Amino acid sequence: MMDPSRTLWSSQDVETSEAFAYWADVVCDAFVGVTLRSGSSASFTGRIEHAALDGIGFVTLSASPQRVVRTSRMIARDDEDVLLANIQLRGRARLEQNGQVAVVGPGAMAFVDSTRPYALDFAGDFSQLVVKVPGNRLSRRSLTGATAVALDASGPGGVVADFLARLERMLDSDPAAAAVLMPHAVELLDTALSWAAGTGRGEGPSGAAVVRERVHGFVRRHATEPGLDAAAVAAGCGVSRRTMYRALAAEGDSLAELIRSARVSHARRLVLAQPARPLAAVARACGFAGEGQLYRSFRAVTGMTPGAYRSRLGEQA
């Protein structure tokens, strides 16, 4: 079974005079290339703990006041495409991106797109949990309108934030269960991105957005059914196929890719939970026509074959 790798950095590991420079290097290593400016004349303190499982990073940090900026020039040098889901644990953060500004308080969550310039300001001491997700793991093609929007702790976004915080703690206490839950975390982040996009435009979800979310949910629930096709999905969502395709096209989604990704997510969970299960049985359980289709789909989504994925898990056991 894959175990999460953990790395700890602390300003206490270096001389006080070098603490902030050390912190700036650590932040770039843990996230993406940024510049930092200390927000206090007092001695700087900071601590970062990084864990990763199945390509998803969980970074817990606590630090003194500071300003964090990622510029277009930095993006040109470091073109890493990741979504950062910032969950505020203590203190407040002010986030600017894509012409939007969010003030994020304890328990709230806001998204950051690493492919676009942004600025983060922490006026006081703070703590955050940041979930780092590769862009190719998200079904949502565009993050326009979804970043720099605060999803309050009292709303549905708070449920997602709480799930992610609990999952981060589970990485140590029960890594096997955490691995099984990880695909659900990505699905919840996809849903929360849609909520944020609607809130950021100052409007409720459009009819197309509602249909799109309904389709995504139906596919997740029924992906393992071998006969799942466009007619079945449209009927299950109570819309015509034309309406369904139009709603998906608005975000650049493909029904075939949604079904494939959902089935591969199921396959990943089975490989994690039942490493000795034959791949032919995994294929049948996940709705694939056969082992060959599982092989091709798994490689297209994850970049590796099921056998290579299973071997990698064995090496990290």
Side-chain angles (χ1 to χ4, degrees):
M1 176 60 64
M2 180 191 295
D3 287 324
S5 57
R6 280 197 177 267
T7 306
L8 173 65
W9 296 278
S10 173
S11 60
Q12 295 181 349
D13 296 335
V14 298
E15 297 292 332
T16 301
S17 60
E18 300 174 357
F20 189 73
Y22 173 77
W23 175 260
D25 288 340
V26 165
V27 168
C28 292
D29 288 340
F31 299 104
V32 291
V34 292
T35 59
L36 288 89
R37 187 176 69 217
S38 178
S40 172
S41 58
S43 298
F44 183 87
T45 60
R47 173 188 170 95
I48 285 183
E49 188 168 356
H50 179 280
L53 182 63
D54 195 22
I56 308 298
F58 289 78
V59 188
T60 305
L61 64 158
S62 300
S64 301
Q66 59 193 271
R67 176 174 172 81
V68 182
V69 176
R70 181 164 168 82
T71 65
S72 297
R73 181 173 295 181
M74 293 172 183
I75 293 168
R77 293 198 305 263
D78 163 25
D79 60 354
E80 188 173 5
D81 178 7
V82 294
L83 172 76
L84 303 175
N86 291 10
I87 301 169
Q88 200 71 17
L89 304 177
R90 180 172 58 90
R92 291 186 177 276
R94 184 180 186 275
L95 167 62
E96 299 178 52
Q97 188 170 50
N98 293 329
Q100 299 187 154
V101 178
V103 177
V104 189
M109 176 172 62
F111 296 111
V112 179
D113 177 4
S114 73
T115 68
R116 301 285 296 168
Y118 66 83
L120 272 163
D121 285 285
F122 302 94
D125 293 348
F126 71 96
S127 296
Q128 278 190 335
L129 167 63
V130 181
V131 183
K132 183 178 177 181
V133 185
N136 60 12
R137 295 286 293 274
L138 301 166
S139 64
R140 186 179 181 85
R141 297 293 191 273
S142 172
L143 299 182
T144 302
T147 61
V149 175
L151 296 175
D152 292 336
S154 59
V159 176
V160 178
D162 185 59
F163 176 88
L164 294 171
R166 289 173 178 268
L167 183 59
E168 190 276 336
R169 293 193 292 271
M170 193 181 291
L171 295 177
D172 288 327
S173 63
D174 195 344
V180 173
L181 289 171
M182 195 66 72
H184 297 293
V186 177
E187 292 170 359
L188 284 172
L189 284 170
D190 263 324
T191 301
L193 280 165
S194 295
W195 291 336
T199 302
R201 290 190 297 265
E203 59 187 34
S206 66
V210 171
V211 171
R212 194 161 52 247
E213 289 303 309
R214 195 181 302 167
V215 169
H216 277 255
F218 187 88
V219 168
R220 286 195 298 266
R221 293 190 299 273
H222 298 274
T224 58
E225 299 174 8
L228 189 67
D229 58 13
V233 175
C237 295
V239 297
S240 69
R241 278 186 286 184
R242 182 178 179 182
T243 297
M244 176 184 69
Y245 283 128
R246 186 185 300 119
L248 292 174
E251 287 290 338
D253 289 336
S254 159
L255 180 63
E257 290 180 2
L258 290 178
I259 294 174
R260 181 180 66 181
S261 294
R263 286 175 173 167
V264 169
S265 291
H266 281 285
R268 290 163 69 123
R269 289 197 287 271
L270 286 182
V271 168
L272 286 168
Q274 303 174 25
R277 189 168 187 171
L279 291 180
V282 172
R284 288 193 299 272
C286 296
F288 291 107
E291 188 174 344
Q293 189 182 56
L294 166 64
Y295 181 98
R296 292 189 297 272
S297 298
F298 204 99
R299 187 167 188 173
V301 173
T302 68
M304 64 181 71
T305 66
Y309 186 75
R310 178 172 284 169
S311 298
R312 189 187 72 169
L313 299 184
E315 292 172 359
Q316 298 185 24

